[in-house]
Structure formats: structure tokens, C-alpha cells
Amino acid sequence: MPERREVIEMKKNTDNAEYVKENVKIEGGLLEFASEELRDNKEIVLEAIKNNPEALEFASDRLKGDREVVYNSVSKVGWTYCYAKDNLLQDKELLLSGLEQTGQILYFANQEMRDDKEVVMQAIKQKPIIIKFASNRLKEDKEIGMAAMNGDKSCYEFLGEELKKDTEIMSMKGM
């Protein structure tokens, strides 16, 4: 399958900042074909993300550690949190903005965030089964357990051993 005209033109103009900026405004994914230098240009990357939040994948490592850049992507699609650099993994507000989109990203959160009740509750609202990535302490939390079970009875298997013995939890499972 031949390359699309837009890709061919982007490759020809990979170092042309104005060309790249104008074209990622139209199709953010074209950032992939920009030069390394331009994938490290915050203004260009923000334009690409504005058009297509998934373009964060093609940003430089430095910009994947820039809160503004990552927030503009994660707050729209959530799953791009997986590209966030270590310096942003302690940023609860950033994680919560992504969890509003998809609970699945709890998987990418560090242990401290997996042990934060507010974070885990937000994740469970979006995807109850994600409780399997919560801390052991929160897998024993009745409020967390009930929220997960209300969303999906199969979450029972991921609850803490003591919580599984709780009469309310057991009745929710149908035992």
C-alpha cells in the first residue's frame, strides 16, 4: 500500500517548523514524521495533541515529562498516561484527569497512587475490574470492595481475603 500524500509531504518537510506546525494542526498523528528536533518543540507538540491527543506517543521524551503537554493529552483520552515520564507519576491530579476517561490506566500508576483511595475509587467507577491493580490495603477496604462489586460481580476474586468473608460482600456475590 503506497504512503499517503500527507505522509510523503511531511517526510519531505520534516525539518520545516512552519510546515510541520500547520499540518499537525490538521492531523496530529503526522507528528510521527517530524524531525526529532520538532518533536521536542513544545508549541508544535501541543498543536498536534490539540488535534489528536494520541500524538503524545510521538513527542520527545523531554516533552513526555512536561506536565502541560501530558495533561493536554491524558485529560482527553486517558490511556496516553502510559507515555508519562517518571517525574509525573506522583501527580495525582494528572492521574485523576486520565481516570475520568478510563480506569484502565491505574495499571500504569505507581504503588503510591494504587494505594490512594480517591484514585482507586475513580478507577473503579470507570472500570470495576481494575481493582486487581489496587494496593493490598485497598483490596481490603469495604467501600472500595462494594463499589467494585456493584459494577462487576467478577471483581470478587480480586478482593482481599478478609473482605471476601464480609457478609455484605458475600451477599453481593450471591453466596
Side-chain angles (χ1 to χ4, degrees):
M1 184 167 160
E3 284 188 312
R4 295 182 309 124
R5 182 186 60 76
E6 296 87 354
V7 172
I8 292 168
E9 290 303 313
M10 184 63 86
K11 286 180 174 180
K12 286 180 186 175
N13 290 284
T14 191
D15 293 315
N16 181 331
E18 283 308 308
Y19 183 89
V20 169
K21 184 177 176 183
E22 288 308 308
N23 282 275
V24 299
K25 282 182 182 180
I26 298 165
E27 186 179 342
L30 290 172
L31 182 64
E32 176 180 9
F33 306 104
S35 68
E36 203 172 302
E37 179 183 332
L38 296 181
R39 285 185 285 120
D40 191 48
N41 179 306
K42 186 172 179 175
E43 183 181 354
I44 288 173
V45 170
L46 284 171
E47 288 295 341
I49 288 170
K50 187 186 301 180
N51 172 269
N52 178 359
E54 296 176 5
L56 179 62
E57 174 183 2
F58 307 115
S60 68
D61 282 349
R62 181 183 73 84
L63 291 179
K64 288 176 184 173
D66 181 292
R67 188 184 191 286
E68 179 185 7
V69 170
V70 175
Y71 183 85
N72 278 301
S73 174
V74 168
S75 64
K76 293 181 182 107
V77 296
W79 71 264
T80 55
Y81 182 81
C82 70
Y83 297 120
K85 289 301 181 191
D86 289 347
N87 63 305
L88 297 176
L89 298 181
Q90 300 287 67
D91 189 325
K92 183 176 173 177
E93 181 186 356
L94 178 66
L95 178 56
L96 286 171
S97 74
L99 287 169
E100 288 178 13
Q101 308 304 315
T102 176
Q104 187 69 28
I105 66 172
L106 185 64
Y107 173 82
F108 299 105
N110 64 28
Q111 290 303 318
E112 183 180 327
M113 292 293 119
R114 291 179 185 200
D115 192 47
D116 183 297
K117 190 170 182 174
E118 180 183 8
V119 166
V120 172
M121 283 297 274
Q122 182 64 42
I124 288 170
K125 279 186 205 171
Q126 295 296 326
K127 187 170 183 88
I129 201 75
I130 203 69
I131 192 171
K132 65 184 168 183
F133 295 110
S135 69
N136 289 334
R137 180 182 74 85
L138 291 180
K139 287 179 183 177
E140 293 288 356
D141 183 283
K142 188 169 181 175
E143 185 180 3
I144 296 270
M146 290 183 74
M149 291 291 290
N150 276 325
D152 183 346
K153 304 290 184 245
S154 68
C155 292
Y156 180 82
E157 71 177 288
F158 300 109
L159 300 179
E161 292 307 312
E162 291 304 310
L163 189 56
K164 286 180 180 179
K165 298 173 189 172
D166 182 272
T167 54
E168 278 186 271
I169 294 288
M170 288 171 56
S171 70
M172 291 176 84
K173 186 177 186 264
M175 298 179 99

